[in-house]
Amino acid sequence: MSESVEAATTSGDTPGQANSEGQAVFRERLYASWWTWPLPLVAAVLMAAQVHMGYPGVRAWLPYVVLVPLAILVPLWLGRLKIEVVDDELWVGDAHLPLRFIDEVEIISPAEQRRSLGPDLDPAAFLVHRSWVRTSVRVWLDDPDDPTPYWVISTRKPERLKAVLLRER
């Protein structure tokens, strides 16, 4: 197994970013967009109101206590992913890649994203995609022992991430 394959595994790194001591050169958190918030909240209030109309007492307010916080936590949970470049490594969530294995970085525009994530996607690629983020980067790897040809990472700052990855290697 190559060193880049070992670096991409997450065993012993929980969470990966907490183990790094260095200063982050690039950091981005992929928060859920504003339009992911109203629908779960409206659905939670409507479901709770349905129960509220049919039952008196504790059963009337209990769905509000359970469903509304749950509707707030789901978009927060979806936006927990961090992308960082720290200590000559690219961290995407808990997976990390030493920058010396990066061969090329290309920006995937919103117009190209559907094709690059569909028919043009290699099944062996490492993919971190968030549907509310319209741009991505494809990081090509230069490690003959690694079966992963490239990483595709959603990012709102593709130009900046590309510049950092190419400068730091």
Side-chain angles (χ1 to χ4, degrees), residues 55-115:
Y55 296 104
V58 173
R59 291 181 288 183
W61 58 266
L62 189 60
Y64 293 104
V65 171
V66 173
L67 294 176
V68 172
L70 188 63
I72 292 170
L73 289 175
V74 166
L76 286 174
W77 179 77
L78 289 172
R80 75 190 184 287
L81 181 71
K82 268 194 224 175
I83 300 170
E84 294 181 316
V85 177
V86 181
D87 295 334
D88 294 328
E89 286 188 330
L90 169 64
W91 288 87
V92 181
D94 289 335
H96 56 102
L97 173 71
L99 297 182
R100 68 180 175 273
F101 293 114
I102 294 176
D103 183 34
E104 184 183 342
V105 179
E106 85 181 82
I107 296 172
I108 301 172
S109 69
E112 301 167 336
Q113 192 164 14
R114 183 176 198 157
R115 183 148 184 86

Side-chain angles (χ1 to χ4, degrees), residues 38-66:
L39 186 61
L41 280 172
V42 168
V45 170
L46 286 175
M47 287 191 294
Q50 288 289 326
V51 175
H52 178 89
M53 287 188 286
Y55 296 104
V58 173
R59 291 181 288 183
W61 58 266
L62 189 60
Y64 293 104
V65 171
V66 173

Side-chain angles (χ1 to χ4, degrees), residues 15-169:
Q17 291 90 344
N19 295 332
S20 62
E21 297 289 327
Q23 189 74 340
V25 179
F26 176 87
R27 177 174 289 145
E28 178 182 16
R29 184 177 290 268
L30 297 180
Y31 292 108
S33 296
W34 67 269
W35 52 266
T36 61
W37 290 82
L39 186 61
L41 280 172
V42 168
V45 170
L46 286 175
M47 287 191 294
Q50 288 289 326
V51 175
H52 178 89
M53 287 188 286
Y55 296 104
V58 173
R59 291 181 288 183
W61 58 266
L62 189 60
Y64 293 104
V65 171
V66 173
L67 294 176
V68 172
L70 188 63
I72 292 170
L73 289 175
V74 166
L76 286 174
W77 179 77
L78 289 172
R80 75 190 184 287
L81 181 71
K82 268 194 224 175
I83 300 170
E84 294 181 316
V85 177
V86 181
D87 295 334
D88 294 328
E89 286 188 330
L90 169 64
W91 288 87
V92 181
D94 289 335
H96 56 102
L97 173 71
L99 297 182
R100 68 180 175 273
F101 293 114
I102 294 176
D103 183 34
E104 184 183 342
V105 179
E106 85 181 82
I107 296 172
I108 301 172
S109 69
E112 301 167 336
Q113 192 164 14
R114 183 176 198 157
R115 183 148 184 86
S116 65
L117 295 177
D120 291 346
L121 183 68
D122 188 327
F126 177 78
L127 176 67
V128 176
H129 174 66
R130 298 295 182 259
S131 61
W132 55 87
V133 179
R134 299 298 303 152
T135 55
S136 300
V137 294
R138 182 180 293 141
V139 179
W140 291 92
L141 304 183
D142 184 24
D143 185 4
D145 297 329
D146 190 350
T148 306
Y150 56 85
W151 287 22
V152 177
I153 307 161
S154 291
T155 178
R156 288 190 176 100
K157 305 171 188 174
E159 292 86 6
R160 186 164 169 240
L161 180 58
K162 179 181 179 178
V164 167
L165 290 175
L166 294 177
R167 184 182 66 224
E168 293 294 319
R169 63 183 171 126

